[in-house]
Structure formats: C-alpha cells, structure tokens
Amino acid sequence: MIKTFTHEKLIRYVYNELPDEQRQEVEQALTHDADLAARCADLLLAQRCLNSLQRGPRAATTRAILQYSRTFLTPS
C-alpha cells in the first residue's frame, strides 16, 4: 500500500516529534520510496544548515539596547 506523507509530517520526523507508530510508518516508507527519501534528505540538510547559524544578536544590537535601557534609569 502506498501512503503519502505531508511536508509537515516529514518535518516532524526530522525533528523527532512524531509518536513511535507514525515514526515507524515514515521510516518504512523511506526505505521503499526514493522520492520521499530524497525529500527527507533535503530537510535533514536544511536542518543541519539552520542549526549551524548564529543564534544571538550582533554585539552592536546588544549595545544599542543596553544604551536605550539606561535612559529609563532613575538616579538614586
């Protein structure tokens, strides 16, 4: 039986967010469907690239926020 999977379900698979039964269904389908396996591989590559990106603000942004916040300090 051929089963189709949504893009959302593949993303949830890549991020290990599927219940065991659904995860096993996807894994079985991946072994029999080369197109699905290629789509999944693309998502895994995208995940790896996104995870390697810098996740913090630039130093200049942090300085600007801190400088702005000092305008709200009241002298004691």
Side-chain angles (χ1 to χ4, degrees):
M1 174 174 100
I2 295 177
K3 189 164 185 151
T4 58
F5 294 97
T6 63
H7 190 70
E8 177 190 1
K9 187 171 268 190
L10 285 178
I11 290 173
R12 290 182 63 207
Y13 172 77
V14 166
Y15 282 93
N16 295 318
E17 296 177 349
L18 288 178
D20 286 340
E21 184 178 312
Q22 291 180 20
R23 180 184 50 79
Q24 291 171 357
E25 288 176 356
V26 172
E27 288 174 349
Q28 186 171 4
L30 288 171
T31 62
H32 300 293
D33 186 340
D35 182 53
L36 184 65
R39 288 176 32 212
C40 190
D42 288 343
L43 289 173
L44 286 166
L45 179 60
Q47 178 194 36
R48 190 174 306 136
C49 291
L50 289 172
N51 286 343
S52 69
L53 295 177
Q54 182 180 5
R55 294 185 182 151
R58 295 179 311 154
T61 303
T62 303
R63 282 193 303 274
I65 292 170
L66 290 173
Q67 182 178 359
Y68 177 73
S69 70
R70 287 186 192 102
T71 64
F72 295 100
L73 294 176
T74 57
S76 329

